[in-house]
């Protein structure tokens, strides 16, 4: 006998759609409960702790329902409730999830703003390291999709650590940010970061790192075919620097590169960029130095 097909049988896609609809419905109900908990009545005060918990649960439901925009809204509501309840760390966690949902929804601008605010909440709660790391991870997640926002996040991470006198922890962030800037054709951003790092390193007494930063700035200017800016920076630093750069191996290397470019001396340039002191710089900067050519129209 021919088997009669079970009309109640559901395909995996149908089952998934049903589950998503159920989770979305649960999320909407939790949002209503959260709004009720956060509201003020004649005989009740707002319960922001309860409201935040409900909004967080709603965000999870919307996330499971594959509705990132609704999850974003729930995360924002949860963060506001947590912060009103004097719980900045919890507010940051809610916005951290909200930022991830915004990325999934294709709203990079919103994601960046939510994650930056989350970092500020972590900072307020005394967890500046977590805030900075969140910004770095967000930058790396965004990556090539939006170079401008990626650099903004890296720079904010550096500034966050600097503002809290945690420059001693910023080294890896500078390295990642500069590498991204140089591999994505934003040399001006790299120059700015090197200058920031030079100031921070001098404050920490790391004079060798200061010298590496100064030499790197000269090389990146040269890479931009801006010999005038490279020479001006070198002259200014030698005249005003108090870290001992003038007379250092890094300073001598910068002079050698600039002189070779000035004189269109290919052999001298090859010798200068091959100096061991240059190999100690960041990998991307070393690569740029090795690509310098007297025929690149620098003069």
């Amino acid at each position: 006998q021919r088997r009669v097909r079970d009309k109640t049988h559901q395909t995996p896609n149908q089952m998934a759609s049903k589950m998503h609809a159920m989770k979305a419905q649960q999320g909407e109900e939790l949002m209503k409960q959260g709004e009720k908990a956060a509201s003020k009545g004649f005989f009740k005060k707002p319960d922001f702790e309860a409201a935040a918990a409900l909004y967080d649960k709603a965000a999870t439901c919307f996330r499971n329902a594959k509705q990132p925009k609704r999850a974003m809204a729930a995360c924002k509501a949860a963060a506001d409730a947590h912060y009103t309840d004097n719980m900045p760390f919890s507010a940051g966690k809610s916005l951290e999830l909200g930022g991830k949902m915004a990325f999934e929804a294709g709203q990079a601008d919103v994601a960046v703003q939510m994650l930056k605010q989350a970092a500020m909440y972590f900072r307020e709660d005394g967890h500046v390291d977590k805030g900075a790391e969140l910004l770095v991870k967000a930058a790396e997640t965004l990556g090539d999709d939006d170079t401008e926002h990626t650099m903004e996040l890296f720079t904010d991470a550096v500034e966050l650590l600097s503002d809290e006198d945690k420059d001693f922890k910023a080294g890896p962030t500078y390295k990642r940010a500069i590498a991204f800037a140089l591999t994505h054709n934003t040399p001006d951003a790299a120059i700015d970061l090197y200058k920031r790092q030079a100031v921070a390193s001098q404050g920490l007494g790391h004079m060798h790192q200061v010298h590496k930063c100064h030499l790197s700035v000269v090389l990146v200017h040269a890479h931009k075919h801006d010999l005038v800016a490279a020479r001006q920076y070198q002259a200014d630093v030698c005249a005003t620097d108090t870290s001992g750069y003038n007379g250092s191996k890094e300073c001598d290397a910068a002079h050698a590169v600039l002189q070779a470019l000035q004189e269109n001396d290919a052999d001298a340039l090859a010798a200068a960029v091959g100096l061991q002191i240059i190999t100690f710089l960041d990998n991307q900067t070393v690569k740029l130095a090795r690509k310098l050519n007297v025929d690149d129209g620098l003069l």
Side-chain angles (χ1 to χ4, degrees), residues 70-292:
R70 288 298 291 146
M72 288 162 50
C75 288
K76 178 63 168 60
D80 290 344
H82 279 306
Y83 194 73
T84 303
D85 195 40
N86 296 315
M87 298 292 288
F89 186 86
S90 296
K93 292 294 291 183
S94 294
L95 285 183
E96 181 178 359
L97 176 58
K100 292 178 181 178
M101 293 296 96
F103 275 134
E104 288 190 15
Q107 297 185 17
D109 287 349
V110 176
V112 168
Q113 294 308 313
M114 292 184 84
L115 293 172
K116 289 173 70 172
Q117 185 59 58
M120 293 300 103
Y121 284 152
F122 290 140
R123 172 187 181 180
E124 183 177 335
D125 197 59
H127 294 81
V128 64
D129 294 1
K130 180 172 177 58
E133 185 60 27
L134 173 62
L135 295 176
V136 170
K137 286 182 178 179
E140 293 177 336
T141 297
L142 194 56
D144 297 343
D145 295 335
D146 189 335
T147 301
E148 183 178 353
H149 276 129
T150 298
M151 284 310 308
E152 179 183 341
L153 287 164
F154 272 129
T155 301
D156 284 347
V158 168
E159 289 180 348
L160 186 61
L161 291 169
S162 179
D163 289 346
E164 293 296 317
D165 294 325
K166 296 212 172 183
D167 287 311
F168 64 94
K169 291 188 175 183
T173 302
Y174 276 114
K175 193 177 186 68
R176 290 149 86 175
I178 290 168
F180 183 88
L182 293 179
T183 55
H184 289 78
N185 198 31
T186 53
D188 288 337
I191 288 172
D192 180 65
L193 286 164
Y194 271 130
K195 289 179 178 179
R196 289 172 181 267
Q197 189 177 20
V199 173
S201 297
Q202 184 154 354
L204 294 170
H206 298 168
M207 301 310 175
H208 183 57
Q209 184 60 46
V210 176
H211 302 167
K212 289 170 66 177
C213 289
H214 289 327
L215 172 56
S216 296
V217 171
V218 171
L219 293 174
V220 177
H221 273 306
H223 163 71
K224 290 179 58 188
H225 298 184
D226 192 347
L227 188 57
V228 172
R231 293 170 61 186
Q232 187 62 57
Y233 182 81
Q234 175 78 350
D236 290 345
V237 170
C238 288
T240 62
D241 179 73
T242 58
S243 70
Y245 175 70
N246 200 0
S248 68
K249 290 182 178 180
E250 289 83 1
C251 182
D252 292 343
H255 276 309
V257 170
L258 292 173
Q259 184 172 352
L261 291 171
Q262 177 71 30
E263 298 176 357
N264 284 341
D265 189 331
D267 291 337
L269 179 59
V273 299
L275 290 170
Q276 185 181 38
I277 197 67
I278 287 182
T279 67
F280 296 151
L281 304 178
D282 293 329
N283 289 337
Q284 292 302 323
T285 304
V286 174
K287 290 179 181 179
L288 296 184
R290 289 174 176 169
K291 290 180 181 179
L292 291 176

